[in-house]
Amino acid sequence: MSLKIKISEDLKSAMKEKNAGKLSILRVLKGEIERNEQSANGKIELTEGDIIKLVKKLTEGIKETTNNQDEISLLEGYLPKQITEQYIREKVERLRVIDGFATMGEYMTFFKKNYDGRYDGKVLSTIVKEKLA
């Protein structure tokens, strides 16, 4: 089940349960998804990675403003498990040795394609810079 469908289903459940808190934050999230699907050329379909970025952005906004832990934990439930720094280090080393990756762009493209929304770009960038130095 795609993340977008899961959010819609959870929104329907919150309506049935009359759970005002959950309903409120899910409406905001769904609204953000729909707003980001609009473009000058018509409606576009967001990728899972795009939706994950929206969830992260909304979570950060709540942390900075109200810091409502219920809303934060609800939103974090939609985020995939993040890969660890150790896993990134091992993968970067493997790509360098086995696949011969030699530029920052190769690593970033690989991680974006295979782990979109599941890694910290700053951590990856730092590790790759260490390996390329």
Side-chain angles (χ1 to χ4, degrees):
M1 177 185 300
S2 78
L3 189 54
K4 184 178 173 182
I5 293 171
K6 181 169 177 20
I7 291 167
S8 292
E9 293 297 318
D10 289 350
L11 181 62
K12 289 176 192 173
S13 296
M15 284 180 195
K16 289 177 184 174
E17 297 166 1
K18 296 182 181 3
N19 184 336
K22 187 175 182 181
L23 185 59
S24 173
I25 194 66
L26 289 176
R27 280 186 173 150
V28 170
L29 178 57
K30 187 163 174 60
E32 279 296 305
I33 291 169
E34 289 173 355
R35 188 178 63 76
N36 280 275
E37 287 182 330
Q38 303 303 317
S39 74
N41 301 328
K43 187 173 180 176
I44 58 169
E45 193 68 29
L46 294 179
T47 65
E48 292 287 310
D50 294 332
I51 295 172
I52 290 168
K53 288 175 188 164
L54 285 174
V55 172
K56 285 182 178 180
K57 182 179 173 185
L58 189 55
T59 303
E60 288 302 314
I62 293 169
K63 285 179 182 176
E64 290 174 5
T65 55
T66 63
N67 202 23
N68 184 323
Q69 292 303 314
D70 292 335
E71 291 178 351
I72 292 169
S73 63
L74 174 71
L75 290 172
E76 286 177 342
Y78 294 109
L79 296 175
K81 185 174 186 244
Q82 298 292 297
I83 57 177
T84 64
E85 182 177 342
Q86 181 61 34
Y87 181 84
I88 292 172
R89 285 187 182 282
E90 291 168 2
K91 194 67 174 175
V92 165
E93 183 62 25
R94 206 172 303 130
L95 290 170
R96 188 179 67 78
V97 172
I98 296 172
D99 296 322
F101 281 24
T103 67
M104 175 71 77
E106 290 175 310
Y107 290 102
M108 299 308 268
T109 301
F110 176 83
F111 274 85
K112 172 108 175 110
K113 180 179 174 194
N114 295 290
Y115 302 102
D116 195 20
R118 295 179 40 213
Y119 67 95
D120 184 338
K122 290 178 185 175
V123 172
L124 173 61
S125 177
T126 302
I127 292 169
V128 171
K129 284 176 185 173
E130 288 172 7
K131 294 293 181 183
L132 295 177

